[in-house]
Amino acid sequence: MNLHDLRTGELLALSRAILAELRRRGVIRTGNAPAGDYAELLVRVATGGELAPNSQRSWDVLTPEPEPERLQVKARVVTNPRTTGERQLSVFRSWDFDAAVIVLFDDEFRVWRAARISVETLREQARFVEHVSGHRIIARDELLDAGEDWTERLRRAAQ
């Protein structure tokens, strides 16, 4: 299939059909952009944990015993690593989790970088933004380097 030959409406319809098929296969859980759902799936597979219900606030994956951990998962697709805006994570509105796993994908949804970062480290880096009623964090290299590197762990989970 040559995507260049498709009209915009056809491309959008194809994208919705792809999302529906990914949802049917259990790769994603919603009709939203797939990066977040896919990252949650990879973290679940990598930890052997369980996904939180869709309505769960604050955390996305619960790791198994003996030391269960509530993980918030944040993901972005990064086409240009030097562009700060591409590394801006969705807003943190609560700190009621143990750690976050930040997953940065490349253009082809391959794990480019991933790190597990403690909630304490995230709070130190966060900036409150009143108009969104939450804390904004940029996934800069320095922040990712301050955490535990999960890149290979999530790459294995993707195979």
Side-chain angles (χ1 to χ4, degrees):
M1 171 184 304
N2 186 347
L3 297 179
H4 294 287
D5 293 339
L6 298 178
R7 294 186 316 271
T8 300
E10 292 171 322
L11 285 171
L12 292 170
L14 179 60
S15 74
R16 296 302 297 165
I18 290 168
L19 290 176
E21 179 59 20
L22 289 170
R23 204 169 33 256
R24 187 191 69 74
R25 292 181 186 194
V27 174
I28 62 174
R29 301 192 293 163
T30 68
N32 300 329
D37 284 349
Y38 185 44
E40 289 174 10
L41 173 69
L42 294 179
V43 171
R44 182 195 62 76
V45 169
T47 63
E50 330 177 347
L51 289 172
N54 278 339
S55 59
Q56 177 63 48
R57 289 187 51 166
S58 300
W59 57 273
D60 302 301
V61 175
L62 180 64
T63 65
E65 300 286 344
E67 296 181 36
E69 191 173 46
R70 296 166 304 150
L71 299 175
Q72 171 74 256
V73 179
K74 298 286 188 180
R76 290 296 302 232
V77 175
V78 177
T79 58
N80 182 350
R82 293 183 306 274
T83 304
T84 301
E86 290 191 20
R87 291 183 176 221
Q88 181 176 301
L89 304 175
S90 61
V91 174
F92 286 84
R93 290 198 169 85
S94 161
W95 300 110
D96 190 23
F97 56 92
D98 301 304
V101 178
I102 297 173
V103 183
L104 301 180
F105 294 106
D106 69 12
D107 245 355
E108 295 179 17
F109 276 91
R110 295 176 299 217
V111 176
W112 171 55
R113 283 200 74 183
R116 180 200 165 277
I117 302 171
S118 71
V119 69
E120 295 82 14
T121 300
L122 291 168
R123 288 185 82 158
E124 290 170 5
Q125 298 294 317
R127 185 174 65 86
F128 185 76
V129 180
E130 191 167 332
H131 78 274
V132 294
S133 298
H135 292 84
R136 183 168 291 153
I137 294 177
I138 308 293
R140 292 185 171 91
D141 289 338
E142 300 80 29
L143 175 64
L144 300 173
D145 291 343
E148 178 186 351
D149 187 355
W150 275 35
T151 305
E152 288 306 317
R153 187 175 187 174
L154 295 189
R155 284 177 179 164
R156 284 191 303 274
Q159 295 176 344

